[in-house]
Amino acid sequence: QVQLVESGGELVQAGGSLRLSCAASGPTASSYNIAWFRETPKNAREFVAAINWIGDVTYIADSAEGRFTISRDNAKSVVYLQMNKMKPEDSSVYYCAGGRTDTVYRVESRYDVWGRGIQVTVSS
């Protein structure tokens, strides 16, 4: 089983940038696709970005297109979410999730390992 730990959450001003990290550990860490989700005002989880563990397939939510980038460093078993031009509506608890599906998906049900979440707050 893989363990996922998020880091990098902070308070940032609107228009600013920050980078979240998802560190994976365990014997099977390299076999997991990784996605980022965030909580909505209705307490659902909204897809943000995903990457397969090889790193050659990525997806970005429409709301983040052109602003967010997902990438990986397999030597360090870390996936990054680079967030630029941040908006107050980006404020949320962000979760790193892992799944061992055949390809990358945007839906929560395709991921079965989750980090604890990390707070991101964007001030206006």
Side-chain angles (χ1 to χ4, degrees):
Q1 180 73 302
V2 68
Q3 299 293 125
L4 303 178
V5 179
E6 304 98 335
S7 63
E10 63 182 83
L11 175 66
V12 64
Q13 293 180 312
S17 300
L18 64 81
R19 186 179 72 171
L20 301 182
S21 298
C22 175
S25 62
T28 61
S30 63
S31 67
Y32 278 77
N33 305 315
I34 300 295
W36 290 93
F37 292 82
R38 65 190 182 189
E39 291 184 351
T40 71
K42 295 189 177 296
N43 206 35
R45 287 179 180 173
E46 174 188 56
F47 173 81
V48 178
I51 188 169
N52 70 339
W53 200 241
I54 296 175
D56 60 346
V57 179
T58 63
Y59 293 102
I60 303 293
D62 290 343
S63 62
E65 184 67 36
R67 300 187 299 121
F68 292 8
T69 302
I70 190 168
S71 62
R72 55 89 186 106
D73 184 341
N74 284 347
K76 299 179 180 179
S77 296
V78 176
V79 171
Y80 302 105
L81 181 66
Q82 179 67 46
M83 301 187 286
N84 300 321
K85 300 179 179 179
M86 299 193 72
K87 306 173 181 178
E89 51 264 45
D90 292 322
S91 298
S92 184
V93 176
Y94 283 69
Y95 295 88
C96 175
R100 299 180 72 179
T101 50
D102 59 332
T103 189
V104 183
Y105 295 88
R106 298 170 181 259
V107 62
E108 180 180 354
S109 63
R110 306 302 292 178
Y111 300 90
D112 55 10
V113 180
W114 294 80
R116 293 181 176 181
I118 188 167
Q119 179 69 52
V120 172
T121 302
V122 184
S123 62
S124 60

